[in-house]
Short mmCIF file of all heavy atoms in Angstrom, two decimals:
data_model
loop_
_atom_site.label_atom_id
_atom_site.label_comp_id
_atom_site.label_asym_id
_atom_site.label_seq_id
_atom_site.Cartn_x
_atom_site.Cartn_y
_atom_site.Cartn_z
N LEU R 1 56.05 258.21 58.92
CA LEU R 1 56.70 257.27 58.01
C LEU R 1 55.85 257.05 56.77
O LEU R 1 56.37 257.04 55.64
CB LEU R 1 56.96 255.94 58.72
CG LEU R 1 57.52 254.81 57.84
CD1 LEU R 1 58.89 255.20 57.26
CD2 LEU R 1 57.63 253.51 58.62
N ALA R 2 54.55 256.88 56.95
CA ALA R 2 53.67 256.59 55.82
C ALA R 2 53.67 257.74 54.81
O ALA R 2 53.87 257.54 53.60
CB ALA R 2 52.25 256.31 56.32
N THR R 3 53.43 258.95 55.31
CA THR R 3 53.36 260.09 54.39
C THR R 3 54.74 260.45 53.84
O THR R 3 54.87 260.85 52.68
CB THR R 3 52.76 261.31 55.11
OG1 THR R 3 53.53 261.60 56.30
CG2 THR R 3 51.32 261.06 55.49
N GLY R 4 55.79 260.28 54.66
CA GLY R 4 57.15 260.57 54.19
C GLY R 4 57.57 259.65 53.07
O GLY R 4 58.18 260.08 52.08
N ALA R 5 57.24 258.35 53.19
CA ALA R 5 57.61 257.39 52.15
C ALA R 5 56.90 257.71 50.84
O ALA R 5 57.51 257.63 49.76
CB ALA R 5 57.27 255.98 52.61
N ILE R 6 55.64 258.08 50.91
CA ILE R 6 54.89 258.38 49.68
C ILE R 6 55.41 259.66 49.02
O ILE R 6 55.62 259.72 47.80
CB ILE R 6 53.39 258.51 49.99
CG1 ILE R 6 52.84 257.17 50.46
CG2 ILE R 6 52.62 259.00 48.77
CD1 ILE R 6 51.45 257.26 51.04
N ALA R 7 55.62 260.70 49.84
CA ALA R 7 56.12 261.96 49.28
C ALA R 7 57.50 261.79 48.67
O ALA R 7 57.80 262.31 47.58
CB ALA R 7 56.16 263.04 50.37
N ALA R 8 58.38 261.03 49.34
CA ALA R 8 59.73 260.80 48.82
C ALA R 8 59.68 259.93 47.58
O ALA R 8 60.35 260.21 46.58
CB ALA R 8 60.60 260.15 49.89
N GLY R 9 58.89 258.87 47.61
CA GLY R 9 58.77 258.00 46.44
C GLY R 9 58.25 258.75 45.23
O GLY R 9 58.68 258.49 44.10
N GLY R 10 57.35 259.68 45.46
CA GLY R 10 56.81 260.46 44.34
C GLY R 10 57.86 261.29 43.63
O GLY R 10 57.77 261.52 42.43
N THR R 11 58.89 261.73 44.36
CA THR R 11 59.93 262.55 43.73
C THR R 11 60.69 261.79 42.65
O THR R 11 61.32 262.41 41.79
CB THR R 11 60.95 263.06 44.77
OG1 THR R 11 61.65 261.95 45.35
CG2 THR R 11 60.27 263.86 45.87
N LEU R 12 60.64 260.45 42.69
CA LEU R 12 61.36 259.66 41.69
C LEU R 12 60.85 259.95 40.28
O LEU R 12 61.57 259.71 39.30
CB LEU R 12 61.22 258.17 42.01
CG LEU R 12 61.88 257.72 43.31
CD1 LEU R 12 61.45 256.30 43.68
CD2 LEU R 12 63.40 257.80 43.19
N GLY R 13 59.63 260.45 40.17
CA GLY R 13 59.09 260.79 38.85
C GLY R 13 59.85 261.91 38.17
O GLY R 13 59.75 262.09 36.95
N PHE R 14 60.61 262.67 38.94
CA PHE R 14 61.39 263.77 38.37
C PHE R 14 62.73 263.29 37.82
O PHE R 14 63.40 264.01 37.09
CB PHE R 14 61.63 264.84 39.44
CG PHE R 14 61.54 266.24 38.92
CD1 PHE R 14 60.34 266.75 38.46
CD2 PHE R 14 62.65 267.07 38.87
CE1 PHE R 14 60.25 268.04 37.98
CE2 PHE R 14 62.58 268.36 38.40
CZ PHE R 14 61.36 268.86 37.94
N LEU R 15 63.12 262.04 38.17
CA LEU R 15 64.43 261.52 37.78
C LEU R 15 64.34 260.30 36.87
O LEU R 15 65.02 260.23 35.84
CB LEU R 15 65.24 261.17 39.02
CG LEU R 15 66.61 260.52 38.81
CD1 LEU R 15 67.54 261.46 38.03
CD2 LEU R 15 67.25 260.13 40.14
N ILE R 16 63.51 259.34 37.25
CA ILE R 16 63.41 258.12 36.46
C ILE R 16 62.75 258.42 35.12
O ILE R 16 61.68 259.01 35.06
CB ILE R 16 62.61 257.05 37.24
CG1 ILE R 16 63.38 256.63 38.49
CG2 ILE R 16 62.33 255.83 36.36
CD1 ILE R 16 62.64 255.63 39.35
N PRO R 17 63.38 258.03 34.01
CA PRO R 17 62.78 258.30 32.71
C PRO R 17 61.45 257.55 32.55
O PRO R 17 61.31 256.45 33.08
CB PRO R 17 63.83 257.79 31.72
CG PRO R 17 64.69 256.85 32.50
CD PRO R 17 64.66 257.34 33.93
N PRO R 18 60.47 258.19 31.91
CA PRO R 18 60.53 259.45 31.15
C PRO R 18 60.30 260.67 32.03
O PRO R 18 59.17 261.14 32.19
CB PRO R 18 59.37 259.30 30.17
CG PRO R 18 58.36 258.47 30.93
CD PRO R 18 59.14 257.55 31.82
N SER R 19 61.36 261.17 32.62
CA SER R 19 61.29 262.28 33.56
C SER R 19 60.94 263.60 32.88
O SER R 19 61.61 264.02 31.94
CB SER R 19 62.66 262.41 34.26
OG SER R 19 62.86 263.70 34.75
N ALA R 20 59.89 264.25 33.39
CA ALA R 20 59.53 265.57 32.86
C ALA R 20 60.65 266.57 33.14
O ALA R 20 60.91 267.47 32.33
CB ALA R 20 58.22 266.04 33.49
N GLY R 21 61.33 266.42 34.29
CA GLY R 21 62.44 267.31 34.61
C GLY R 21 63.58 267.19 33.62
O GLY R 21 64.15 268.20 33.18
N LEU R 22 63.92 265.96 33.22
CA LEU R 22 64.99 265.77 32.24
C LEU R 22 64.58 266.26 30.86
O LEU R 22 65.41 266.76 30.10
CB LEU R 22 65.38 264.29 32.19
CG LEU R 22 66.11 263.74 33.42
CD1 LEU R 22 66.34 262.24 33.28
CD2 LEU R 22 67.45 264.46 33.64
N VAL R 23 63.31 266.13 30.53
CA VAL R 23 62.82 266.64 29.23
C VAL R 23 62.98 268.16 29.18
O VAL R 23 63.52 268.72 28.21
CB VAL R 23 61.35 266.24 29.00
CG1 VAL R 23 60.80 266.96 27.76
CG2 VAL R 23 61.23 264.74 28.80
N ILE R 24 62.53 268.85 30.23
CA ILE R 24 62.63 270.31 30.27
C ILE R 24 64.10 270.73 30.26
O ILE R 24 64.48 271.67 29.54
CB ILE R 24 61.93 270.88 31.52
CG1 ILE R 24 60.44 270.50 31.50
CG2 ILE R 24 62.08 272.39 31.57
CD1 ILE R 24 59.67 271.03 30.32
N TYR R 25 64.92 270.05 31.03
CA TYR R 25 66.36 270.36 31.06
C TYR R 25 66.96 270.18 29.67
O TYR R 25 67.76 271.00 29.20
CB TYR R 25 67.07 269.46 32.07
CG TYR R 25 68.58 269.65 32.11
CD1 TYR R 25 69.14 270.64 32.91
CD2 TYR R 25 69.43 268.85 31.35
CE1 TYR R 25 70.52 270.83 32.95
CE2 TYR R 25 70.81 269.03 31.39
CZ TYR R 25 71.35 270.02 32.19
OH TYR R 25 72.70 270.21 32.22
N GLY R 26 66.59 269.10 28.98
CA GLY R 26 67.11 268.86 27.64
C GLY R 26 66.69 269.93 26.65
O GLY R 26 67.48 270.35 25.80
N ILE R 27 65.45 270.39 26.77
CA ILE R 27 64.97 271.45 25.87
C ILE R 27 65.69 272.76 26.15
O ILE R 27 66.13 273.47 25.23
CB ILE R 27 63.45 271.64 26.02
CG1 ILE R 27 62.70 270.36 25.58
CG2 ILE R 27 62.97 272.83 25.23
CD1 ILE R 27 62.87 270.01 24.13
N VAL R 28 65.84 273.11 27.43
CA VAL R 28 66.47 274.38 27.79
C VAL R 28 67.94 274.40 27.40
O VAL R 28 68.46 275.41 26.90
CB VAL R 28 66.30 274.64 29.31
CG1 VAL R 28 67.12 275.85 29.75
CG2 VAL R 28 64.83 274.87 29.65
N THR R 29 68.64 273.28 27.61
CA THR R 29 70.09 273.24 27.34
C THR R 29 70.41 272.72 25.95
O THR R 29 71.57 272.74 25.54
CB THR R 29 70.80 272.33 28.36
OG1 THR R 29 70.27 271.00 28.27
CG2 THR R 29 70.62 272.86 29.77
#
């Protein structure tokens, strides 16, 4: 539970702005 919560919570950085994933997607598209 401890490691799963941290790993899952970390993925929010790819979605919540200023998301690096959204920046790259915006540049590519």
Side-chain angles (χ1 to χ4, degrees):
L1 175 62
T3 56
I6 295 169
T11 64
L12 295 169
F14 219 67
L15 176 62
I16 294 177
S19 157
L22 290 175
V23 171
I24 299 299
Y25 177 86
I27 296 296
V28 172
T29 60

